Amino acid sequence: MREGEEEGWFTHFYVVSVLWNGFLLICLFRAEFLGESLPSWIQNMQHALGRDSQSKDTGNCRRLAECLWTSVFSNGVIHIVQYCFGLGYYIAVGSTVLCQVPTNVRNGKKLSVQICWYHVIGVMMYIWASLHQHRCLTILANLRKSRSGKVVSLSHSVPFGDWFESVSCPHYFAELLIYVSMAITLGIHNATWWCVVMYVLCNQAVAAVLCHEFYQKNFSSYPKHRKAFIPL
């Protein structure tokens, strides 16, 4: 589960996520701006989930672009169960977000949006965490590239710079902050999305600890002050 080995397979997850969530976003825009109702099968799915509070969607276009053009992955594989679970997760997250949309929008009625303080904080936090995550992924990729940008190695090296000075897996920490920022944007009291945040916390923490132990085991000079996942 070392970083890079499994993440190459995440390209598949982000492709599915972009296509599925892009489709949901188009349906939502048509409902909001053209007054059309969401397809009946989507409405039935939302009724089955039974949520009617408000929300907004987020895509994985940036992560897909990073997988395709920034990251350099080694030749690792993941278990078929983990692979299937990952595909299901990225489909379920988009559906979970959509079921937070008010019923009147799903039925083709206009939505009166009021900007609140938590919307501003959530969006600013989302942008801040996303920028740092991209920087950290770029640092990891550059460890395997020459100055000209050509891939010269698939081996692991110790990264330095940005949040790597504090933790071994800052891109995992940034991922958690991105989900927290969405929970804030959704109104803080959205219990459904906080459940997603808790899942991301546990998932990323386990991966970060394993990666941290790998660094400590294989690099004798690895900085001792670094934490695995959360700074300080």
Side-chain angles (χ1 to χ4, degrees):
M1 198 179 286
R2 297 192 298 273
E3 51 194 303
E5 290 196 349
E6 291 189 353
E7 290 186 4
W9 293 87
F10 272 62
T11 304
H12 301 183
F13 300 157
Y14 295 129
V15 168
V16 171
S17 179
V18 167
L19 293 177
W20 170 245
N21 292 312
F23 168 72
L24 295 181
L25 190 60
I26 291 174
C27 291
L28 187 59
F29 271 117
R30 293 176 67 90
E32 169 65 17
F33 298 108
L34 300 180
E36 299 181 3
S37 298
L38 293 177
S40 58
W41 63 272
I42 292 183
Q43 293 194 49
N44 292 335
M45 178 176 64
Q46 305 311 309
H47 289 314
L49 293 174
R51 294 293 299 179
D52 289 318
S53 56
Q54 62 180 2
S55 178
K56 62 189 295 185
D57 189 19
T58 183
N60 284 288
C61 293
R62 177 183 61 84
R63 290 295 288 121
L64 175 58
E66 289 169 343
C67 284
L68 294 176
W69 296 297
T70 301
S71 299
V72 180
F73 304 113
S74 54
N75 301 319
V77 296
I78 62 177
H79 195 278
I80 183 63
V81 174
Q82 190 177 5
Y83 180 76
C84 293
F85 181 84
L87 291 177
Y89 169 77
Y90 281 96
I91 293 175
V93 165
S95 303
T96 301
V97 172
L98 186 62
C99 76
Q100 309 297 304
V101 175
T103 305
N104 59 343
V105 176
R106 296 185 221 159
N107 294 332
K109 300 178 182 179
K110 296 293 182 179
L111 172 65
S112 177
V113 179
Q114 182 178 0
I115 303 299
C116 299
W117 62 268
Y118 53 81
H119 292 145
V120 177
I121 293 177
V123 171
M124 291 179 62
M125 183 177 178
Y126 180 91
I127 295 174
W128 174 65
S130 296
L131 286 174
H132 277 284
Q133 186 181 54
H134 178 71
R135 290 173 186 170
C136 293
L137 291 171
T138 300
I139 290 173
L140 285 176
N142 287 339
L143 291 175
R144 295 176 172 179
K145 296 179 181 179
S146 64
R147 291 182 178 273
S148 63
K150 182 179 179 180
V151 177
V152 294
S153 173
L154 294 180
S155 61
H156 289 80
S157 303
V158 178
F160 292 92
D162 205 75
W163 288 356
F164 278 110
E165 299 303 319
S166 300
V167 295
S168 295
C169 300
H171 48 311
Y172 294 162
F173 179 57
E175 184 82 0
L176 173 64
L177 293 182
I178 287 172
Y179 278 82
V180 171
S181 72
M182 293 174 63
I184 294 174
T185 306
L186 299 180
I188 301 178
H189 301 298
N190 191 306
T192 301
W193 195 254
W194 281 112
C195 289
V196 177
V197 171
M198 292 304 299
Y199 165 77
V200 172
L201 170 61
C202 296
N203 179 274
Q204 301 293 75
V206 170
V209 167
L210 292 175
C211 181
H212 183 67
E213 292 176 347
F214 170 82
Y215 279 131
Q216 291 179 321
K217 178 181 179 181
N218 290 275
F219 299 96
S220 58
S221 60
Y222 192 72
K224 297 184 181 301
H225 68 276
R226 289 190 190 180
K227 304 301 180 183
F229 182 41
I230 299 177
L232 306 179

PDB file of all heavy atoms in Angstrom, residues 4-14 67 73-78 83 87:
ATOM      1  N   GLY A   4       1.945   5.452  -4.644  1.00  0.00           N
ATOM      2  CA  GLY A   4       2.411   5.264  -6.004  1.00  0.00           C
ATOM      3  C   GLY A   4       2.056   3.902  -6.545  1.00  0.00           C
ATOM      4  O   GLY A   4       1.659   3.779  -7.686  1.00  0.00           O
ATOM      5  N   GLU A   5       2.190   2.861  -5.723  1.00  0.00           N
ATOM      6  CA  GLU A   5       1.969   1.523  -6.230  1.00  0.00           C
ATOM      7  C   GLU A   5       0.498   1.265  -6.528  1.00  0.00           C
ATOM      8  O   GLU A   5       0.150   0.687  -7.534  1.00  0.00           O
ATOM      9  CB  GLU A   5       2.495   0.495  -5.230  1.00  0.00           C
ATOM     10  CG  GLU A   5       4.014   0.488  -5.142  1.00  0.00           C
ATOM     11  CD  GLU A   5       4.536  -0.755  -4.459  1.00  0.00           C
ATOM     12  OE1 GLU A   5       3.704  -1.485  -3.883  1.00  0.00           O
ATOM     13  OE2 GLU A   5       5.740  -0.997  -4.493  1.00  0.00           O
ATOM     14  N   GLU A   6      -0.369   1.671  -5.598  1.00  0.00           N
ATOM     15  CA  GLU A   6      -1.792   1.426  -5.804  1.00  0.00           C
ATOM     16  C   GLU A   6      -2.466   2.591  -6.500  1.00  0.00           C
ATOM     17  O   GLU A   6      -3.490   2.429  -7.144  1.00  0.00           O
ATOM     18  CB  GLU A   6      -2.480   1.169  -4.460  1.00  0.00           C
ATOM     19  CG  GLU A   6      -2.061  -0.138  -3.829  1.00  0.00           C
ATOM     20  CD  GLU A   6      -2.905  -0.481  -2.625  1.00  0.00           C
ATOM     21  OE1 GLU A   6      -3.706   0.359  -2.212  1.00  0.00           O
ATOM     22  OE2 GLU A   6      -2.773  -1.596  -2.106  1.00  0.00           O
ATOM     23  N   GLU A   7      -1.896   3.789  -6.368  1.00  0.00           N
ATOM     24  CA  GLU A   7      -2.594   4.965  -6.863  1.00  0.00           C
ATOM     25  C   GLU A   7      -2.706   4.995  -8.373  1.00  0.00           C
ATOM     26  O   GLU A   7      -3.519   5.717  -8.921  1.00  0.00           O
ATOM     27  CB  GLU A   7      -1.908   6.234  -6.341  1.00  0.00           C
ATOM     28  CG  GLU A   7      -2.123   6.416  -4.834  1.00  0.00           C
ATOM     29  CD  GLU A   7      -1.592   7.738  -4.319  1.00  0.00           C
ATOM     30  OE1 GLU A   7      -1.120   8.535  -5.152  1.00  0.00           O
ATOM     31  OE2 GLU A   7      -1.649   7.979  -3.116  1.00  0.00           O
ATOM     32  N   GLY A   8      -1.854   4.227  -9.080  1.00  0.00           N
ATOM     33  CA  GLY A   8      -1.995   4.165 -10.516  1.00  0.00           C
ATOM     34  C   GLY A   8      -3.359   3.638 -10.927  1.00  0.00           C
ATOM     35  O   GLY A   8      -3.921   4.043 -11.948  1.00  0.00           O
ATOM     36  N   TRP A   9      -3.886   2.736 -10.108  1.00  0.00           N
ATOM     37  CA  TRP A   9      -5.203   2.170 -10.402  1.00  0.00           C
ATOM     38  C   TRP A   9      -6.314   3.166 -10.102  1.00  0.00           C
ATOM     39  O   TRP A   9      -7.453   2.985 -10.540  1.00  0.00           O
ATOM     40  CB  TRP A   9      -5.406   0.886  -9.603  1.00  0.00           C
ATOM     41  CG  TRP A   9      -4.486  -0.205 -10.052  1.00  0.00           C
ATOM     42  CD1 TRP A   9      -3.211  -0.442  -9.628  1.00  0.00           C
ATOM     43  CD2 TRP A   9      -4.752  -1.200 -11.050  1.00  0.00           C
ATOM     44  NE1 TRP A   9      -2.672  -1.529 -10.278  1.00  0.00           N
ATOM     45  CE2 TRP A   9      -3.601  -2.015 -11.165  1.00  0.00           C
ATOM     46  CE3 TRP A   9      -5.861  -1.486 -11.853  1.00  0.00           C
ATOM     47  CZ2 TRP A   9      -3.514  -3.078 -12.038  1.00  0.00           C
ATOM     48  CZ3 TRP A   9      -5.780  -2.555 -12.725  1.00  0.00           C
ATOM     49  CH2 TRP A   9      -4.627  -3.334 -12.812  1.00  0.00           C
ATOM     50  N   PHE A  10      -6.002   4.218  -9.356  1.00  0.00           N
ATOM     51  CA  PHE A  10      -7.004   5.230  -9.057  1.00  0.00           C
ATOM     52  C   PHE A  10      -7.406   5.997 -10.307  1.00  0.00           C
ATOM     53  O   PHE A  10      -8.443   6.657 -10.316  1.00  0.00           O
ATOM     54  CB  PHE A  10      -6.472   6.205  -8.000  1.00  0.00           C
ATOM     55  CG  PHE A  10      -6.747   5.752  -6.591  1.00  0.00           C
ATOM     56  CD1 PHE A  10      -6.209   4.568  -6.115  1.00  0.00           C
ATOM     57  CD2 PHE A  10      -7.550   6.503  -5.754  1.00  0.00           C
ATOM     58  CE1 PHE A  10      -6.454   4.136  -4.834  1.00  0.00           C
ATOM     59  CE2 PHE A  10      -7.809   6.078  -4.463  1.00  0.00           C
ATOM     60  CZ  PHE A  10      -7.266   4.888  -3.997  1.00  0.00           C
ATOM     61  N   THR A  11      -6.605   5.931 -11.352  1.00  0.00           N
ATOM     62  CA  THR A  11      -6.992   6.563 -12.612  1.00  0.00           C
ATOM     63  C   THR A  11      -8.347   6.039 -13.063  1.00  0.00           C
ATOM     64  O   THR A  11      -9.204   6.801 -13.533  1.00  0.00           O
ATOM     65  CB  THR A  11      -5.936   6.291 -13.701  1.00  0.00           C
ATOM     66  OG1 THR A  11      -4.664   6.747 -13.244  1.00  0.00           O
ATOM     67  CG2 THR A  11      -6.298   7.011 -14.994  1.00  0.00           C
ATOM     68  N   HIS A  12      -8.568   4.727 -12.919  1.00  0.00           N
ATOM     69  CA  HIS A  12      -9.852   4.130 -13.294  1.00  0.00           C
ATOM     70  C   HIS A  12     -10.975   4.716 -12.440  1.00  0.00           C
ATOM     71  O   HIS A  12     -12.061   5.013 -12.938  1.00  0.00           O
ATOM     72  CB  HIS A  12      -9.806   2.609 -13.103  1.00  0.00           C
ATOM     73  CG  HIS A  12      -8.749   1.939 -13.911  1.00  0.00           C
ATOM     74  ND1 HIS A  12      -8.592   0.566 -13.931  1.00  0.00           N
ATOM     75  CD2 HIS A  12      -7.792   2.428 -14.730  1.00  0.00           C
ATOM     76  CE1 HIS A  12      -7.594   0.245 -14.731  1.00  0.00           C
ATOM     77  NE2 HIS A  12      -7.081   1.359 -15.207  1.00  0.00           N
ATOM     78  N   PHE A  13     -10.709   4.872 -11.144  1.00  0.00           N
ATOM     79  CA  PHE A  13     -11.723   5.410 -10.248  1.00  0.00           C
ATOM     80  C   PHE A  13     -12.117   6.825 -10.666  1.00  0.00           C
ATOM     81  O   PHE A  13     -13.291   7.185 -10.678  1.00  0.00           O
ATOM     82  CB  PHE A  13     -11.210   5.438  -8.804  1.00  0.00           C
ATOM     83  CG  PHE A  13     -10.831   4.087  -8.264  1.00  0.00           C
ATOM     84  CD1 PHE A  13      -9.945   3.968  -7.203  1.00  0.00           C
ATOM     85  CD2 PHE A  13     -11.344   2.923  -8.815  1.00  0.00           C
ATOM     86  CE1 PHE A  13      -9.594   2.724  -6.695  1.00  0.00           C
ATOM     87  CE2 PHE A  13     -11.007   1.670  -8.320  1.00  0.00           C
ATOM     88  CZ  PHE A  13     -10.119   1.576  -7.263  1.00  0.00           C
ATOM     89  N   TYR A  14     -11.121   7.643 -11.000  1.00  0.00           N
ATOM     90  CA  TYR A  14     -11.408   9.037 -11.342  1.00  0.00           C
ATOM     91  C   TYR A  14     -12.086   9.155 -12.699  1.00  0.00           C
ATOM     92  O   TYR A  14     -12.898  10.059 -12.916  1.00  0.00           O
ATOM     93  CB  TYR A  14     -10.116   9.858 -11.306  1.00  0.00           C
ATOM     94  CG  TYR A  14      -9.520   9.943  -9.919  1.00  0.00           C
ATOM     95  CD1 TYR A  14      -8.188   9.635  -9.679  1.00  0.00           C
ATOM     96  CD2 TYR A  14     -10.305  10.312  -8.824  1.00  0.00           C
ATOM     97  CE1 TYR A  14      -7.652   9.692  -8.405  1.00  0.00           C
ATOM     98  CE2 TYR A  14      -9.781  10.374  -7.550  1.00  0.00           C
ATOM     99  CZ  TYR A  14      -8.457  10.060  -7.349  1.00  0.00           C
ATOM    100  OH  TYR A  14      -7.930  10.123  -6.080  1.00  0.00           O
ATOM    101  N   CYS A  67      -3.384  12.153 -12.319  1.00  0.00           N
ATOM    102  CA  CYS A  67      -3.060  10.750 -12.581  1.00  0.00           C
ATOM    103  C   CYS A  67      -2.532  10.557 -14.002  1.00  0.00           C
ATOM    104  O   CYS A  67      -1.628   9.765 -14.245  1.00  0.00           O
ATOM    105  CB  CYS A  67      -4.294   9.872 -12.367  1.00  0.00           C
ATOM    106  SG  CYS A  67      -4.712   9.572 -10.638  1.00  0.00           S
ATOM    107  N   PHE A  73       3.701   6.392 -11.426  1.00  0.00           N
ATOM    108  CA  PHE A  73       3.348   5.244 -10.605  1.00  0.00           C
ATOM    109  C   PHE A  73       4.292   4.075 -10.863  1.00  0.00           C
ATOM    110  O   PHE A  73       4.766   3.874 -11.976  1.00  0.00           O
ATOM    111  CB  PHE A  73       1.909   4.797 -10.903  1.00  0.00           C
ATOM    112  CG  PHE A  73       0.895   5.897 -10.732  1.00  0.00           C
ATOM    113  CD1 PHE A  73       0.205   6.396 -11.824  1.00  0.00           C
ATOM    114  CD2 PHE A  73       0.633   6.431  -9.486  1.00  0.00           C
ATOM    115  CE1 PHE A  73      -0.735   7.398 -11.675  1.00  0.00           C
ATOM    116  CE2 PHE A  73      -0.301   7.434  -9.319  1.00  0.00           C
ATOM    117  CZ  PHE A  73      -0.983   7.921 -10.417  1.00  0.00           C
ATOM    118  N   SER A  74       4.515   3.286  -9.822  1.00  0.00           N
ATOM    119  CA  SER A  74       5.282   2.057  -9.988  1.00  0.00           C
ATOM    120  C   SER A  74       4.346   0.933 -10.413  1.00  0.00           C
ATOM    121  O   SER A  74       3.141   1.137 -10.559  1.00  0.00           O
ATOM    122  CB  SER A  74       6.005   1.705  -8.680  1.00  0.00           C
ATOM    123  OG  SER A  74       5.094   1.651  -7.609  1.00  0.00           O
ATOM    124  N   ASN A  75       4.888  -0.263 -10.587  1.00  0.00           N
ATOM    125  CA  ASN A  75       4.125  -1.359 -11.187  1.00  0.00           C
ATOM    126  C   ASN A  75       3.393  -2.212 -10.163  1.00  0.00           C
ATOM    127  O   ASN A  75       3.479  -3.430 -10.186  1.00  0.00           O
ATOM    128  CB  ASN A  75       5.065  -2.231 -12.029  1.00  0.00           C
ATOM    129  CG  ASN A  75       5.734  -1.436 -13.122  1.00  0.00           C
ATOM    130  OD1 ASN A  75       5.098  -0.604 -13.765  1.00  0.00           O
ATOM    131  ND2 ASN A  75       7.022  -1.679 -13.341  1.00  0.00           N
ATOM    132  N   GLY A  76       2.684  -1.587  -9.255  1.00  0.00           N
ATOM    133  CA  GLY A  76       1.958  -2.333  -8.235  1.00  0.00           C
ATOM    134  C   GLY A  76       0.530  -2.647  -8.675  1.00  0.00           C
ATOM    135  O   GLY A  76       0.030  -2.125  -9.664  1.00  0.00           O
ATOM    136  N   VAL A  77      -0.115  -3.534  -7.940  1.00  0.00           N
ATOM    137  CA  VAL A  77      -1.505  -3.892  -8.213  1.00  0.00           C
ATOM    138  C   VAL A  77      -2.285  -3.820  -6.912  1.00  0.00           C
ATOM    139  O   VAL A  77      -1.715  -3.757  -5.830  1.00  0.00           O
ATOM    140  CB  VAL A  77      -1.625  -5.314  -8.805  1.00  0.00           C
ATOM    141  CG1 VAL A  77      -0.942  -5.376 -10.150  1.00  0.00           C
ATOM    142  CG2 VAL A  77      -1.024  -6.342  -7.848  1.00  0.00           C
ATOM    143  N   ILE A  78      -3.607  -3.834  -7.020  1.00  0.00           N
ATOM    144  CA  ILE A  78      -4.453  -3.872  -5.839  1.00  0.00           C
ATOM    145  C   ILE A  78      -5.372  -5.082  -5.936  1.00  0.00           C
ATOM    146  O   ILE A  78      -5.584  -5.645  -7.012  1.00  0.00           O
ATOM    147  CB  ILE A  78      -5.292  -2.583  -5.694  1.00  0.00           C
ATOM    148  CG1 ILE A  78      -6.236  -2.400  -6.884  1.00  0.00           C
ATOM    149  CG2 ILE A  78      -4.402  -1.371  -5.543  1.00  0.00           C
ATOM    150  CD1 ILE A  78      -7.143  -1.181  -6.742  1.00  0.00           C
ATOM    151  N   TYR A  83     -10.436  -2.958  -5.547  1.00  0.00           N
ATOM    152  CA  TYR A  83     -10.700  -2.257  -6.809  1.00  0.00           C
ATOM    153  C   TYR A  83     -12.200  -2.029  -7.005  1.00  0.00           C
ATOM    154  O   TYR A  83     -12.636  -0.931  -7.325  1.00  0.00           O
ATOM    155  CB  TYR A  83     -10.121  -3.069  -7.961  1.00  0.00           C
ATOM    156  CG  TYR A  83     -10.324  -2.455  -9.324  1.00  0.00           C
ATOM    157  CD1 TYR A  83      -9.557  -1.378  -9.737  1.00  0.00           C
ATOM    158  CD2 TYR A  83     -11.273  -2.972 -10.203  1.00  0.00           C
ATOM    159  CE1 TYR A  83      -9.741  -0.820 -10.996  1.00  0.00           C
ATOM    160  CE2 TYR A  83     -11.460  -2.419 -11.451  1.00  0.00           C
ATOM    161  CZ  TYR A  83     -10.689  -1.340 -11.848  1.00  0.00           C
ATOM    162  OH  TYR A  83     -10.877  -0.790 -13.090  1.00  0.00           O
ATOM    163  N   LEU A  87     -14.410   1.588  -7.070  1.00  0.00           N
ATOM    164  CA  LEU A  87     -15.341   2.022  -8.114  1.00  0.00           C
ATOM    165  C   LEU A  87     -16.714   2.328  -7.524  1.00  0.00           C
ATOM    166  O   LEU A  87     -17.330   3.351  -7.841  1.00  0.00           O
ATOM    167  CB  LEU A  87     -15.462   0.936  -9.188  1.00  0.00           C
ATOM    168  CG  LEU A  87     -14.242   0.698 -10.076  1.00  0.00           C
ATOM    169  CD1 LEU A  87     -14.509  -0.470 -11.029  1.00  0.00           C
ATOM    170  CD2 LEU A  87     -13.892   1.955 -10.861  1.00  0.00           C
TER     171      LEU A  87
END
